[in-house]
Amino acid sequence: MVRLPAVAGRFYPSDPAELSTQISEYLTPQKGFAPRSVKASLVPHAGLMFSGHVAGAVFSSIRIPKKVLILGVRHRPPGSPAAIVSDGVWRTPLGNAEIDRELAEKLRAACPLLIEDPVAHSKEHSLEMEIPFLQVLNPDFHFVPIALGTAHFETLLSVGEAIGSVLAAENDEVLIVTSSDLNHYEDDATTRVKDHKAIEQLMSMDARGLYDVCRNEEISMCGLGPAVAMLTALQVLKASKAELIRYATSADRAGDPSAVVGYAGMVFW
C-alpha cells in the first residue's frame, strides 16, 4: 500500500525543496543542548504556518530513533475507532516513509481493538503532519500509524496498556509521537486558561485527570484520545517526567485573537 499525501499544498508545501527549507527553519535547537532520548512527545498538527514552530521546537530537542509509533486522531474520515495500518509506505513530498510491519503486527496481536483500516487514515492529517519532521531528522526511520476516533476512556486505556506492554518488551528504542492540538475556536484568553488546565494534567502524567478535565471544562482537545493512550502507555513504561517545551496559540502567528487554536509541545521520559 502507498498512502498518498492528503494535505500537501494546503497544510504544508508540496514542493520538496520548499518543504525541506520550512521544516529546517522550524527546527531550532537551544544552544548548548544536544537532542536527548525520550519515551514520548506531544506535538500539534495544524498547518505549518500556525504550529510548525511548536512542533519544530519539540522535534529539534529530541533524538529520533529508527522506530516511531505515531498516535493521531481521526477527525473526519469514516473507519474504525482504533485504526492501524501494518504494511506499506506513506508518501510525502520528501519521499516515502516505511511502515514497521513487525512492530505493527506485535501491536495488533497485543490489542485486538486495533483494526487494520487504511480508509481511516486515507485523508487524516494529524499523523501526516509529523512525518516530514521525522524524515528530515532521521531519513531511515520506520513507523506505525494509529488513528484513534474513540472517546471511550476504557477503550483508550486498553489501547494504551497494550502499547506500553509491547514497547516495554522491545529491544530497540521506540519513540511515541502523539499528535494533538488543544482548545479550538474560542478567544485567545479563554483558550489559554483552558489549555493550561489540560497541560497541568499532562505534566502530572494523569490519563484519567486529563480525560476528566477536558470533559468537565469543555476543552476541545482534538487529540484527547491519543494523549490518554500515550499517558497510559507511559505508566507501563515507568516514565516519570514531563516537560513543556513550547506553548502558543494560532493568534501568535495569525494575529486574530477572537477564535484561536492552542498548541502545546511536550516531551516525556
Side-chain angles (χ1 to χ4, degrees), residues 26-269:
Y26 289 127
L27 294 170
T28 54
Q30 296 181 1
K31 290 184 178 180
F33 290 89
R36 55 184 160 160
S37 294
V38 300
K39 295 183 184 298
S41 62
L42 179 83
V43 285
H45 54 240
L48 282 184
M49 67 173 291
F50 297 109
S51 69
H53 62 302
V54 177
V58 173
F59 283 124
S60 61
S61 73
I62 62 179
R63 192 179 72 82
I64 307 301
K66 182 69 176 290
K67 295 184 178 183
V68 179
L69 170 62
I70 308 180
L71 301 177
V73 63
R74 201 192 73 215
H75 283 94
R76 294 181 185 86
S80 304
I84 189 171
V85 179
S86 302
D87 196 13
V89 298
W90 281 32
R91 183 168 297 163
T92 79
L94 302 183
N96 291 337
E98 185 176 346
I99 290 175
D100 191 311
R101 183 174 182 177
E102 181 180 359
L103 179 58
E105 289 177 349
K106 290 177 181 178
L107 289 164
R108 288 180 62 195
C111 185
L113 293 170
L114 292 175
I115 304 300
E116 187 74 19
D117 188 355
V119 172
H121 286 272
S122 61
K123 301 297 182 182
E124 175 53 52
H125 70 275
S126 64
L127 296 92
E128 180 179 334
M129 290 301 299
E130 317 309 344
I131 291 176
F133 285 99
L134 300 169
Q135 288 176 306
V136 168
L137 289 168
N138 185 354
D140 295 325
F141 88 100
H142 295 175
F143 77 109
V144 177
I146 293 177
L148 296 173
T150 178
H152 298 294
F153 183 79
E154 291 73 17
T155 300
L156 300 169
L157 192 69
S158 296
V159 172
E161 288 174 344
I163 289 171
S165 66
V166 169
L167 299 194
E170 282 290 295
N171 293 323
D172 299 324
E173 180 184 359
V174 182
L175 170 67
I176 303 173
V177 174
T178 300
S179 182
S180 178
D181 297 337
L182 298 185
N183 196 57
H184 287 62
Y185 308 135
E186 294 187 87
D187 66 84
D188 191 69
T190 300
T191 289
R192 289 178 185 272
V193 170
K194 287 189 172 185
D195 284 352
H196 281 88
K197 290 180 180 180
I199 290 170
E200 182 179 355
Q201 300 303 317
L202 286 159
M203 291 292 292
S204 299
M205 302 176 69
D206 185 346
R208 183 81 231 192
L210 177 64
Y211 185 87
D212 288 344
V213 77
C214 286
R215 288 285 179 263
N216 295 337
E217 301 290 338
E218 297 183 336
I219 303 169
S220 52
M221 178 180 180
C222 59
L224 174 60
V228 167
M230 172 194 69
L231 292 175
T232 303
L234 288 173
Q235 291 178 357
V236 178
L237 294 169
K238 302 187 185 307
S240 59
K241 295 182 179 180
E243 181 181 352
L244 177 65
I245 301 294
R246 181 170 289 181
Y247 173 79
T249 74
S250 56
D252 296 330
R253 292 298 174 108
D256 178 7
S258 63
V260 307
V261 179
Y263 312 120
M266 302 182 67
V267 294
F268 307 84
W269 70 100

